Amino acid sequence: MANSDSNRVLIFDTTLRDGEQCPGATMTLEEKLEVAELLDAMGVDIIEAGFPIASVGDFEAVSEIARRVKRAVVAGLSRANPKDIERAGEAVRHAVRPRIHTFISTSPVHMKYKLQKEPDAVLEMVIDQVTRARNLVDDVEWSCEDGTRTEHDFLCRCVEAAIKAGATTINIPDTVGYTTPAEYRALFEMVRTRVPNADKAIFSVHCHDDLGMAVANSLAGVQGGARQIECTINGIGERAGNAALEEIVMAIKTRADVFPYETGIDTTMLTRASKVVATATSFPVQYNKAIVGRNAFAHESGIHQDGMLKHTQTYEIMTPESVGVSTSSLVMGKHSGRNAFRSKLAELGYKLSDNELNDAFERFKALADRKKHVYDEDIEAIVDEKIATAHDRMRLVSLTVIAGTRGPQRATMRLAIDGRVVTEEADGNGPVDAVFNAIKALAPHEATLELYQVHAVTEGTDAQAEVSVRLSADGRSVTGRGADPDTLVASAKAYLVALNKLVARGAGMHAQHAAAE
């Protein structure tokens, strides 16, 4: 489908590559596989699975995703050198539809200071990198990094050369989030008009959100002739993030009069995808986020509520059901049975083994004993937390905290570290500080606490608290999330999730697990 007159727009999801480059948003292999399988099921056309040359872990993740994805194209990213391209080709070779996505900088500032090469030398590299990739796979995407700040004459020369060398997709990214919708649309119209073999490739947009225009720019690029949009779930990504997949898809669906295009996305899976990615990355979605934020379909003010009661379309341009939000999330209590629980999990998009189901059901019953009402969001929190911690080496066994106006606050904690249970007490400047000091005493480390955030999963004083903790060490930043009706228990769980991620990456630990010796 090289003809950009078609109204079909391909959705290229880079949550697992560009999204994971967001500081602290690292995912385990199991989490990446869960996200990839969900993206495939919801109709994403191309899944950029990672940057194979970056590490052995990245290579293995891309390879496993390539083996498991049943329908979508699986792409691996590579720079313009032979080792990168060969590594990407090796990683995606088992995919049903493999793609190598290779890039090089083309703007004057990037060529001078990053590549330290003259334009003619860069042009030769473009031809060489695309030719090499095309010898490995039939589907090659070429990107001109910092394309929106590239001189037009040189951009056209590079695009023409890349297509001639065998590139099937041409991506012109707004790498630094600098462009505006009118400029970006005009850029695609210019390139497609001036490049003689432009009809032989699909053009792609890839926008960053530094000025808050990633979605608007992406849609403008499509109006300029692009037919592939590169985006991420929840808009996660480097700096201010990428264009949000859910916003792009629903803009096209809701405003078909302005955007007469089609995507293959099952929009009823958008909310589930948002929650899975938020859990896997431990990046909570802001309440007022478009489409998937908690407040996206909430109508608080009296005048809005009055209008909604008279007719939903007064203040609602799309239905909650269209993006997978259930209209009634109140589900169960402690008398609910296993079959009802199994049905609810299926409705929420979970596929659990019998052992996983039994474990989740036991934790649901324990929660139901502590809460009057259990909501969809509560069930998602307990199941997602178990998925995220299934392979952790350190787990919370028990926690007791003494707090109040008369200090010092004190925490007594028991942890299972590599299967051995150890106990420690610690004081702190407040109960949370005491809890974290107890963990540090049991598992000595040098990690710095960058973020501590608490919010309630549902309403009510018995609501589960969901805590996010971000730790950094040795130049790496990871985020953990935990949920529990007790905020301090949730805090301990979140800290341990983050610490386990650092341990898995060999960062920040000294005398690792010394307390368990």
Side-chain angles (χ1 to χ4, degrees), residues 440 443-449 472-474 495 499 502 507-510:
K440 197 162 189 175
H445 60 274
E446 298 292 339
T448 301
L449 179 64
S472 67
D474 301 340
Y495 196 103
L499 195 56
L502 282 180
M509 305 299 289
H510 67 81

Side-chain angles (χ1 to χ4, degrees), residues 402-425:
I402 300 171
T405 55
R406 290 187 178 182
Q409 289 74 31
R410 173 166 280 265
T412 304
M413 177 178 290
R414 298 179 76 207
L415 290 185
I417 302 179
D418 292 332
R420 183 180 175 186
V421 176
V422 289
T423 305
E424 186 61 78
E425 290 187 0

Side-chain angles (χ1 to χ4, degrees), residues 177-194:
Y178 181 72
T179 199
T180 66
E183 288 174 344
Y184 204 46
R185 175 175 181 167
L187 180 65
F188 280 92
E189 290 173 338
M190 181 277 297
V191 172
R192 290 181 58 244
T193 299
R194 288 182 52 182

Side-chain angles (χ1 to χ4, degrees), residues 335-486:
H335 301 296
S336 299
R338 191 181 302 266
N339 284 338
F341 184 69
R342 187 195 302 269
S343 297
K344 174 52 68 175
L345 287 177
E347 181 188 317
L348 294 173
Y350 292 102
K351 295 176 184 174
L352 301 185
S353 68
D354 287 343
N355 285 341
E356 290 170 332
L357 176 70
N358 291 338
D359 182 71
F361 184 67
E362 289 306 314
R363 285 180 295 120
F364 157 69
K365 295 293 276 189
L367 181 64
D369 282 336
R370 299 168 70 184
K371 284 194 69 181
K372 184 187 283 187
H373 301 299
V374 179
Y375 296 83
D376 284 2
E377 294 89 343
D378 289 312
I379 292 176
E380 288 168 339
I382 61 175
V383 177
D384 288 341
E385 181 184 65
K386 185 64 177 178
I387 291 170
T389 60
H391 300 274
D392 285 355
R393 297 175 63 182
M394 292 176 277
R395 291 187 302 104
L396 180 67
V397 177
S398 66
L399 174 66
T400 304
V401 180
I402 300 171
T405 55
R406 290 187 178 182
Q409 289 74 31
R410 173 166 280 265
T412 304
M413 177 178 290
R414 298 179 76 207
L415 290 185
I417 302 179
D418 292 332
R420 183 180 175 186
V421 176
V422 289
T423 305
E424 186 61 78
E425 290 187 0
D427 293 340
N429 183 20
V432 175
D433 190 45
V435 168
F436 292 173
N437 286 343
I439 294 173
K440 197 162 189 175
L442 288 164
H445 60 274
E446 298 292 339
T448 301
L449 179 64
E450 290 186 334
L451 172 77
Y452 174 75
Q453 197 170 55
V454 184
H455 76 268
V457 172
T458 56
E459 69 266 18
T461 54
D462 64 349
Q464 287 194 92
E466 195 163 65
V467 175
S468 295
V469 166
R470 186 182 303 159
L471 299 177
S472 67
D474 301 340
R476 300 175 187 225
S477 183
V478 297
T479 311
R481 205 156 70 157
D484 194 89
D486 187 314

Side-chain angles (χ1 to χ4, degrees), residues 263-283:
T263 73
I265 300 295
D266 177 356
T267 64
T268 64
M269 296 179 71
L270 291 174
T271 297
R272 176 78 200 118
S274 170
K275 289 177 178 176
V276 167
V277 170
T279 300
T281 58
S282 296
F283 261 53

